[in-house]
Amino acid sequence: MEKILVLDFGGQYNQLIARRVREQHVYAEIRPYDRITISDIKKENYKGIILTGGPNSVYDPASPHYDPKLLDLSIPILGICYGAQLLAYLAGGEIAAAENGSEYGKTLLKVKDHMLFRDIPAESICWMSHTDFIKALPQGFRVIAKTEKCPCAAFCSDAKRLYGIQFHPEVTHTAFGRQIFHQFLFSVCGCSGDWDARDYAGRIIEEYRKKYAGKKVLLALSGGVDSSVAAILLHKAIGKDLVCVFVDHGLLRKGEGDFVEDTFRRTFGVNLIRVNAGERFLKRLAGIREPEQKRRIIGEEFIRVFEEEAKKIGHVHALAQGTIYPDVIESGKGASAVIKSHHNVGGLPGVISFDELVEPLRDFFKDEVRSIGTMLGLPNELVWRQPFPGPGLAVRILGEITEEKIRLLQDADAVFREEIAGAQMEHGPDQYFAVLTDARTVGVMGDARTYGYVAALRAVSTDDFMTAEWTRLPFDVLERASSRITNEVSGVSRVVYDISSKPPATVEWE
Ligand code: XMP
């Protein structure tokens, strides 16, 4: 399989670089600069290497560097931002703090006639974010693009197949970024572009069949896209030897528990154990108002219920998890690098003993997991499910959690979801839900006074959920949702719409 190495120097867009490469059907893997040596690189047979951006200055001795022998491997290299400066520096060039200040944001880029910029107009917009600049190029290199402030916005040595670009082609603000990756991958590295995440499904099913048939594999199914796709892959490989435990903590959206059970047990014939543990969770949450404490309790109880079920099953050979690539990538930010574990099921159970951990999706991004899910026949509702916190509606009920409040929120949320779905907006929100506040206000219904809860509606538009804009929903959608909720959900007497963006607010209300 042809592969591109994304050598990570700690930049904020590194995952985006790997995604841009994979979008062109070439597999890319991210490795922190300090966890892969020259001899590792030689063994892997990479078709090309991309050096990422990073927050440092190459002339700072503490900044991340790399063995200059990298440039002698005869593997094409594309350096981006810090990666471009490092490439120039390692080849003998000079980097300095920009004399006329740093350059940030959308900038007019002027390119020369060069293979890397084929089909790109002589002038276009790129995204810049740098303080240092390349003051002098190494011998044998030449400038192929500039901006008003940056005399060397791109450079190359065609003979050595080394390229550097100061701007960020991976972000969508760079108008022709995709074409630049395309040129690097196909014209420079000679890739053929025959990789597809979906091909993987067939291969992994075969591999898992040989490896695990006749052995018990246990998976905690949440109904989210990651654990669902992992479950179907394993089910297709080993059938009933996969046991899925679905802990219904009673804090799911209206009808969701039954939908998950229906899909997996009846449609796919998965060996599924559904544990209706709502009462247990409610008991433990009684009187608890503090959000972090709610989360802790739910996480602990989840593991406990899961372990109890697992014990009944007896010895399991492997535990399967729906961990995906962004959960496992280590960042090249140096000593502070951490590996994030998959938090939705509350971490690994401690009591269950198993010989192996199986993570079928650990090489894939979310959009790739979705396309695998669709290919396996999972319903759109599941594949395109919006993010849903592991602790469920507990994070959307402010104050104490009671059975009544769960029901009110489930009903209000179902109405809101129906109204959004019915409106068939072209650019609908990326996430939307109802929140039950802990405030109660006076209302009037017919001739009678009511005293019910205030429900809040939240809808956000976002690419990555790190930042988000509140969605400008049409007033008639809001009006219908509000009127239906106050009429149909007895106990809610007022509806408000949240117009806070993130930051400074967060998406969830906790
Ligand atoms: P915040 O509230 O931090 O949420 O702006 C950002 C995104 O993360 C989702 N979220 C979670 N997702 N497990 C998850 O898988 C969780 O515990 C969790 N908490 C928040 C939230 O819905 C939003 O999409």
Side-chain angles (χ1 to χ4, degrees), residues 207-219 234 238 240-243 310 313-321 352-359:
E207 186 190 321
Y208 283 4
R209 187 170 289 147
K210 285 189 200 127
K211 218 166 155 188
Y212 300 116
K215 295 175 180 162
K216 272 226 160 0
V217 177
L218 177 66
L219 179 138
L234 277 155
I238 59 171
K240 297 284 177 203
D241 289 328
L242 170 74
V243 185
I313 298 165
H315 178 76
V316 295
H317 173 74
L319 185 76
Q321 282 198 317
I352 307 166
S353 68
F354 54 90
D355 308 326
E356 245 185 277
L357 186 65
V358 192
E359 295 177 313

Side-chain angles (χ1 to χ4, degrees), residues 295 343-344 387-391 395-396 431 433 465-466 502 505-510:
R295 276 184 177 269
H343 288 290
N344 261 2
F388 188 63
V395 301
R396 297 177 185 166
Q431 190 176 9
F433 51 85
F465 297 92
M466 309 279 277
K502 172 185 179 177
T506 55
V507 175
E508 301 289 348
W509 265 47
E510 296 171 89

Side-chain angles (χ1 to χ4, degrees), residues 82-365:
Y82 177 83
Q85 294 168 2
L86 183 65
L87 177 61
Y89 182 80
L90 294 178
E94 190 186 338
I95 316 299
E99 284 145 16
N100 44 5
S102 55
E103 201 179 23
Y104 183 83
K106 286 185 182 175
T107 309
L108 185 69
L109 176 76
K110 295 181 180 176
V111 299
K112 288 195 176 159
D113 188 17
H114 186 267
M115 173 185 36
L116 208 54
F117 304 131
R118 192 180 295 155
D119 301 329
I120 297 180
E123 296 193 356
S124 65
I125 294 297
C126 72
W127 182 260
M128 279 290 193
S129 173
H130 67 114
T131 309
D132 292 345
F133 84 120
I134 297 158
K135 194 171 174 186
L137 277 175
Q139 241 184 5
F141 285 72
R142 68 188 172 99
V143 173
I144 50 174
K146 61 179 182 180
T147 68
E148 197 188 327
K149 273 188 163 184
C150 183
C152 180
F155 62 88
C156 73
S157 160
D158 288 316
K160 292 182 174 159
R161 296 193 298 169
L162 301 178
Y163 304 85
I165 41 189
Q166 183 60 69
F167 54 93
H168 288 273
E170 69 277 22
V171 304
T172 47
H173 305 305
T174 296
F176 294 94
R178 282 194 166 88
Q179 282 85 335
I180 297 173
F181 280 114
H182 186 274
Q183 284 307 113
F184 178 68
L185 295 172
F186 296 94
S187 301
V188 178
C189 302
C191 292
S192 57
D194 57 3
W195 179 81
D196 189 327
R198 288 169 302 184
D199 295 342
Y200 162 91
R203 263 184 284 133
I204 203 82
I205 290 170
E206 265 319 298
E207 186 190 321
Y208 283 4
R209 187 170 289 147
K210 285 189 200 127
K211 218 166 155 188
Y212 300 116
K215 295 175 180 162
K216 272 226 160 0
V217 177
L218 177 66
L219 179 138
L221 185 73
S222 70
V225 57
D226 306 338
S227 65
S228 296
V229 174
I232 297 301
L233 270 175
L234 277 155
H235 171 73
K236 289 200 186 272
I238 59 171
K240 297 284 177 203
D241 289 328
L242 170 74
V243 185
C244 291
V245 173
F246 168 44
V247 177
D248 183 346
H249 48 30
L251 294 154
L252 296 170
R253 288 172 288 203
K254 192 174 181 176
E256 199 164 18
D258 293 343
F259 172 71
V260 170
E261 183 175 351
D262 235 52
T263 306
F264 287 90
R265 187 174 291 153
R266 281 180 265 290
T267 313
F268 285 97
V270 167
N271 187 358
L272 176 86
I273 298 169
R274 175 178 176 180
V275 192
N276 289 316
E279 267 180 43
R280 256 179 92 153
F281 280 84
L282 257 183
K283 243 187 230 153
R284 286 220 45 206
L285 288 165
I288 308 293
R289 302 180 60 84
E290 210 273 308
E292 276 307 303
Q293 213 180 340
K294 288 180 192 169
R295 276 184 177 269
R296 219 169 20 251
I297 290 173
I298 293 168
E300 276 168 26
E301 198 61 18
F302 190 99
I303 296 280
R304 222 171 276 171
V305 176
F306 186 72
E307 281 174 352
E308 283 172 21
E309 285 310 312
K311 268 194 218 147
K312 291 183 202 158
I313 298 165
H315 178 76
V316 295
H317 173 74
L319 185 76
Q321 282 198 317
T323 317
I324 67 170
Y325 201 44
D327 298 329
V328 292
I329 303 174
E330 298 167 71
S331 155
K333 281 179 190 150
S336 65
V338 282
I339 306 172
K340 216 178 82 180
S341 63
H342 196 246
H343 288 290
N344 261 2
V345 293
L348 284 181
V351 176
I352 307 166
S353 68
F354 54 90
D355 308 326
E356 245 185 277
L357 186 65
V358 192
E359 295 177 313
L361 303 174
R362 60 178 288 125
D363 290 331
F364 297 99
F365 288 112

Side-chain angles (χ1 to χ4, degrees), residues 432-448:
Y432 49 94
F433 51 85
V435 171
L436 194 72
T437 74
D438 205 25
R440 293 213 278 170
T441 66
V442 173
V444 54
M445 197 86 169
D447 287 330

Side-chain angles (χ1 to χ4, degrees), residues 7 13-14 17 57 170 174 193 352 435 492 506:
L7 203 52
Y13 303 125
N14 298 347
I17 295 175
S57 293
E170 69 277 22
T174 296
I352 307 166
V435 171
V492 173
T506 55

